[in-house]
Amino acid sequence: MGQKIHPLGFRLGTTQSHDSIWFAQPTNYSENLKEDKIIRDCIKNYIQKTIRISSGVEGIGRIKIKKRIDLIQVIIYMAVPKLLIEGKPRRIEELQINVQKKLNCVNRKLNIAITRIPNAYRDPNILAEFIAGQLKNRIPFRKAIKKAIELAEQAGTKGVQVQIAGRIDGKEIARVEWIREGRVPLQTIRAKIDYCSYPVRTIYGVLGIKVWIFLNKE
């Protein structure tokens, strides 16, 4: 069997950079790692609760964390940031207070910034969220994947591959289905490939969505 490797970890140092940037001694490393997980989960939960976007997409691409001794800087990349920024600037403050409570960081300042993703459908997380929203509304999975691939191609990607696994369309036996358009050279390290895996809860059970997007050759 072909051994699969995580496309982002495989490309670290060439086309891919880390999402968390900090340095820790071996004794504190696990604490910092847990902290990152708490920050990411807290932000995702808050945005899911406060914002119900019409298409069912929360629109978080990725969350970058930079840590210094006295400061934690969090950058949220979103497709639709206007919901957080416009109208209610206190939403960001509320989110900061929420995260600080979870972390109970007394001597460190938390700073949250929000950045807009210019071409939203070039981001695999947002594409996966779009497919998840379609599947929750009981739209046939092939139609959902084809629509997502179409959106990704309009955003100017060179190739997209989408895979869905689980009880598709409520069938008794779980299976894996995938569709690819264009090129997705997973073996080429110089190829800039973005990837995400996204679980979606449907009424039949949990489905797993994986999205690979080939952006460009650097």
Side-chain angles (χ1 to χ4, degrees):
M1 296 293 290
Q3 308 301 319
K4 312 288 187 295
I5 186 167
H6 197 292
L8 302 185
F10 188 47
R11 286 172 176 76
L12 272 178
T14 48
T15 59
Q16 186 64 30
S17 60
H18 290 274
D19 276 354
S20 295
I21 299 169
W22 42 263
F23 178 78
Q25 296 296 343
T27 47
N28 309 333
Y29 189 89
S30 57
E31 289 299 317
N32 274 299
L33 207 56
K34 279 180 197 159
E35 228 171 52
D36 281 10
K37 178 99 173 76
I38 291 168
I39 291 171
R40 290 202 168 94
D41 289 351
C42 189
I43 289 170
K44 280 178 185 164
N45 292 342
Y46 177 83
I47 286 172
Q48 258 173 351
K49 276 181 200 160
T50 53
I51 299 167
R52 277 273 165 262
I53 301 169
S54 53
S55 63
V57 176
E58 291 108 44
I60 300 180
R62 61 185 189 280
I63 299 168
K64 282 202 165 184
I65 298 171
K66 292 178 185 175
K67 287 184 190 172
R68 295 212 306 259
I69 294 171
D70 53 350
L71 176 72
I72 301 176
Q73 192 178 11
V74 181
I75 304 169
I76 307 172
Y77 290 87
M78 288 185 79
V80 198
K82 59 175 184 282
L83 291 151
L84 270 184
I85 295 167
E86 283 171 18
K88 293 182 179 171
R90 72 159 198 279
R91 269 192 174 164
I92 294 182
E93 288 165 26
E94 201 180 306
L95 177 56
Q96 275 185 344
I97 291 161
N98 273 9
V99 175
Q100 266 170 333
K101 272 183 196 163
K102 278 266 164 65
L103 283 181
N104 70 51
C105 55
V106 185
N107 48 8
R108 279 187 297 178
K109 194 167 172 280
L110 183 74
N111 187 7
I112 294 181
I114 291 173
T115 311
R116 185 166 179 273
I117 302 171
N119 271 353
Y121 290 110
R122 282 178 66 137
D123 193 286
N125 290 291
I126 287 159
L127 215 56
E129 272 178 25
F130 170 79
I131 297 169
Q134 301 276 316
L135 292 176
K136 279 180 184 167
N137 297 339
R138 311 236 195 134
I139 285 165
F141 79 96
R142 274 211 175 82
K143 192 178 173 189
I145 295 181
K146 289 222 168 86
K147 181 82 179 96
I149 287 175
E150 203 178 292
L151 287 169
E153 281 179 338
Q154 282 167 11
T157 57
K158 290 197 174 177
V160 191
Q161 180 176 327
V162 180
Q163 176 180 307
I164 295 184
R167 289 185 59 185
I168 301 167
D169 294 340
K171 296 272 166 43
E172 290 265 313
I173 296 174
R175 64 188 200 277
V176 178
E177 294 278 348
W178 60 274
I179 296 177
R180 187 196 297 137
E181 277 301 317
R183 288 175 58 223
V184 185
L186 294 176
Q187 296 289 303
T188 314
I189 299 180
R190 276 178 318 186
K192 179 120 180 70
I193 285 181
D194 217 343
Y195 162 83
C196 97
S197 73
Y198 190 91
V200 49
R201 283 203 156 98
T202 62
I203 50 171
Y204 313 113
V206 180
L207 297 181
I209 302 172
K210 286 183 179 178
V211 181
W212 292 261
I213 294 182
F214 176 36
L215 296 169
N216 60 348
K217 194 89 164 276
E218 289 196 347

